[in-house]
PDB file of all heavy atoms in Angstrom:
ATOM      1  N   GLN A  22      -7.679 -17.139   1.347  1.00  0.00           N
ATOM      2  CA  GLN A  22      -8.078 -18.558   1.473  1.00  0.00           C
ATOM      3  C   GLN A  22      -7.937 -19.201   0.188  1.00  0.00           C
ATOM      4  O   GLN A  22      -7.504 -20.400   0.090  1.00  0.00           O
ATOM      5  CB  GLN A  22      -9.468 -18.711   2.167  1.00  0.00           C
ATOM      6  CG  GLN A  22      -9.545 -18.269   3.623  1.00  0.00           C
ATOM      7  CD  GLN A  22     -10.970 -18.296   4.162  1.00  0.00           C
ATOM      8  OE1 GLN A  22     -11.891 -18.689   3.421  1.00  0.00           O
ATOM      9  NE2 GLN A  22     -11.029 -17.934   5.385  1.00  0.00           N
ATOM     10  N   ALA A  23      -8.421 -18.594  -0.915  1.00  0.00           N
ATOM     11  CA  ALA A  23      -8.323 -19.173  -2.235  1.00  0.00           C
ATOM     12  C   ALA A  23      -6.927 -19.403  -2.778  1.00  0.00           C
ATOM     13  O   ALA A  23      -6.578 -20.357  -3.200  1.00  0.00           O
ATOM     14  CB  ALA A  23      -9.100 -18.329  -3.304  1.00  0.00           C
ATOM     15  N   THR A  24      -6.092 -18.433  -2.433  1.00  0.00           N
ATOM     16  CA  THR A  24      -4.589 -18.309  -2.679  1.00  0.00           C
ATOM     17  C   THR A  24      -3.981 -19.560  -1.926  1.00  0.00           C
ATOM     18  O   THR A  24      -3.092 -20.225  -2.489  1.00  0.00           O
ATOM     19  CB  THR A  24      -3.951 -17.083  -2.461  1.00  0.00           C
ATOM     20  OG1 THR A  24      -4.694 -16.082  -3.037  1.00  0.00           O
ATOM     21  CG2 THR A  24      -2.454 -17.096  -2.805  1.00  0.00           C
ATOM     22  N   THR A  25      -4.304 -19.743  -0.709  1.00  0.00           N
ATOM     23  CA  THR A  25      -3.731 -20.811   0.204  1.00  0.00           C
ATOM     24  C   THR A  25      -4.156 -22.147  -0.435  1.00  0.00           C
ATOM     25  O   THR A  25      -3.328 -23.044  -0.525  1.00  0.00           O
ATOM     26  CB  THR A  25      -4.237 -20.592   1.666  1.00  0.00           C
ATOM     27  OG1 THR A  25      -3.751 -19.322   2.125  1.00  0.00           O
ATOM     28  CG2 THR A  25      -3.673 -21.707   2.483  1.00  0.00           C
ATOM     29  N   THR A  26      -5.507 -22.195  -0.840  1.00  0.00           N
ATOM     30  CA  THR A  26      -5.897 -23.512  -1.231  1.00  0.00           C
ATOM     31  C   THR A  26      -5.200 -23.880  -2.531  1.00  0.00           C
ATOM     32  O   THR A  26      -4.655 -25.033  -2.807  1.00  0.00           O
ATOM     33  CB  THR A  26      -7.428 -23.513  -1.546  1.00  0.00           C
ATOM     34  OG1 THR A  26      -8.051 -23.133  -0.394  1.00  0.00           O
ATOM     35  CG2 THR A  26      -8.007 -24.823  -2.121  1.00  0.00           C
ATOM     36  N   LEU A  27      -5.086 -22.891  -3.441  1.00  0.00           N
ATOM     37  CA  LEU A  27      -4.321 -23.143  -4.737  1.00  0.00           C
ATOM     38  C   LEU A  27      -2.834 -23.483  -4.464  1.00  0.00           C
ATOM     39  O   LEU A  27      -2.394 -24.406  -5.061  1.00  0.00           O
ATOM     40  CB  LEU A  27      -4.328 -21.792  -5.623  1.00  0.00           C
ATOM     41  CG  LEU A  27      -3.732 -21.734  -6.911  1.00  0.00           C
ATOM     42  CD1 LEU A  27      -4.334 -22.791  -7.911  1.00  0.00           C
ATOM     43  CD2 LEU A  27      -3.643 -20.330  -7.560  1.00  0.00           C
ATOM     44  N   PHE A  28      -2.205 -22.729  -3.542  1.00  0.00           N
ATOM     45  CA  PHE A  28      -0.737 -23.068  -3.199  1.00  0.00           C
ATOM     46  C   PHE A  28      -0.600 -24.467  -2.579  1.00  0.00           C
ATOM     47  O   PHE A  28       0.377 -25.183  -3.027  1.00  0.00           O
ATOM     48  CB  PHE A  28      -0.217 -21.880  -2.234  1.00  0.00           C
ATOM     49  CG  PHE A  28       1.160 -22.143  -1.908  1.00  0.00           C
ATOM     50  CD1 PHE A  28       2.195 -21.925  -2.668  1.00  0.00           C
ATOM     51  CD2 PHE A  28       1.477 -22.700  -0.569  1.00  0.00           C
ATOM     52  CE1 PHE A  28       3.553 -22.064  -2.348  1.00  0.00           C
ATOM     53  CE2 PHE A  28       2.753 -22.916  -0.146  1.00  0.00           C
ATOM     54  CZ  PHE A  28       3.744 -22.531  -1.001  1.00  0.00           C
ATOM     55  N   GLU A  29      -1.484 -24.816  -1.665  1.00  0.00           N
ATOM     56  CA  GLU A  29      -1.379 -26.103  -1.078  1.00  0.00           C
ATOM     57  C   GLU A  29      -1.550 -27.200  -2.113  1.00  0.00           C
ATOM     58  O   GLU A  29      -0.920 -28.262  -2.146  1.00  0.00           O
ATOM     59  CB  GLU A  29      -2.354 -26.202  -0.011  1.00  0.00           C
ATOM     60  CG  GLU A  29      -2.023 -25.533   1.294  1.00  0.00           C
ATOM     61  CD  GLU A  29      -3.154 -25.400   2.353  1.00  0.00           C
ATOM     62  OE1 GLU A  29      -4.234 -25.794   2.006  1.00  0.00           O
ATOM     63  OE2 GLU A  29      -2.953 -24.947   3.413  1.00  0.00           O
ATOM     64  N   GLY A  30      -2.425 -27.036  -3.057  1.00  0.00           N
ATOM     65  CA  GLY A  30      -2.717 -27.994  -4.052  1.00  0.00           C
ATOM     66  C   GLY A  30      -1.521 -28.172  -4.929  1.00  0.00           C
ATOM     67  O   GLY A  30      -1.108 -29.354  -5.349  1.00  0.00           O
ATOM     68  N   LEU A  31      -0.842 -26.996  -5.400  1.00  0.00           N
ATOM     69  CA  LEU A  31       0.267 -27.082  -6.208  1.00  0.00           C
ATOM     70  C   LEU A  31       1.517 -27.780  -5.484  1.00  0.00           C
ATOM     71  O   LEU A  31       2.281 -28.527  -6.158  1.00  0.00           O
ATOM     72  CB  LEU A  31       0.688 -25.613  -6.748  1.00  0.00           C
ATOM     73  CG  LEU A  31      -0.172 -25.024  -7.767  1.00  0.00           C
ATOM     74  CD1 LEU A  31       0.205 -23.539  -8.002  1.00  0.00           C
ATOM     75  CD2 LEU A  31       0.024 -25.860  -9.120  1.00  0.00           C
ATOM     76  N   MET A  32       1.693 -27.450  -4.276  1.00  0.00           N
ATOM     77  CA  MET A  32       2.827 -27.939  -3.483  1.00  0.00           C
ATOM     78  C   MET A  32       2.623 -29.329  -3.304  1.00  0.00           C
ATOM     79  O   MET A  32       3.600 -30.162  -3.343  1.00  0.00           O
ATOM     80  CB  MET A  32       2.965 -27.192  -2.144  1.00  0.00           C
ATOM     81  CG  MET A  32       3.407 -25.672  -2.333  1.00  0.00           C
ATOM     82  SD  MET A  32       4.812 -25.453  -3.390  1.00  0.00           S
ATOM     83  CE  MET A  32       6.067 -26.168  -2.429  1.00  0.00           C
ATOM     84  N   ALA A  33       1.469 -29.793  -3.029  1.00  0.00           N
ATOM     85  CA  ALA A  33       1.201 -31.266  -2.831  1.00  0.00           C
ATOM     86  C   ALA A  33       1.488 -32.092  -4.201  1.00  0.00           C
ATOM     87  O   ALA A  33       2.023 -33.104  -4.169  1.00  0.00           O
ATOM     88  CB  ALA A  33      -0.301 -31.545  -2.392  1.00  0.00           C
TER      89      ALA A  33
END
Side-chain angles (χ1 to χ4, degrees):
Q22 292 176 0
T24 304
T25 301
T26 302
L27 180 66
F28 178 75
E29 288 172 350
L31 284 173
M32 293 310 290

